[in-house]
Amino acid sequence: NHVHVDPLALQKTVNLPATLSFGNITLPGQIAQFNAIGAVASAGSIVFLHQEGGTRTIDIRPSGYVQLQ
């Protein structure tokens, strides 16, 4: 028995609230792609901007560790 999983298949779409927008995204192609054991293809970060001036950064490490800053 084999299970085929398309590694490029979209898993989930999330809509941002109107108060948030994307800032700088340093991931290649602006995509965070994780493998079956949780490691990421390329490390990087995603910055979110709040309309009132705040920012939050999601840092994605090569190991797949994800940290909100």
Side-chain angles (χ1 to χ4, degrees):
N1 293 335
H2 297 315
V3 176
H4 175 73
V5 177
D6 181 355
L8 299 178
L10 180 64
Q11 299 300 312
K12 185 175 182 179
T13 299
V14 178
N15 295 317
L16 293 180
T19 57
L20 291 179
S21 62
F22 287 106
N24 190 35
I25 301 174
T26 63
L27 296 162
Q30 299 184 338
I31 297 172
Q33 187 176 23
F34 296 86
N35 66 23
I37 61 169
V40 70
S42 296
S45 62
I46 303 168
V47 177
F48 292 95
L49 307 171
H50 191 274
Q51 70 182 12
E52 293 179 2
T55 63
R56 293 288 241 177
T57 301
I58 296 175
D59 183 34
I60 304 170
R61 309 261 171 98
S63 65
Y65 178 76
V66 177
Q67 181 178 19
L68 180 61
Q69 301 174 348

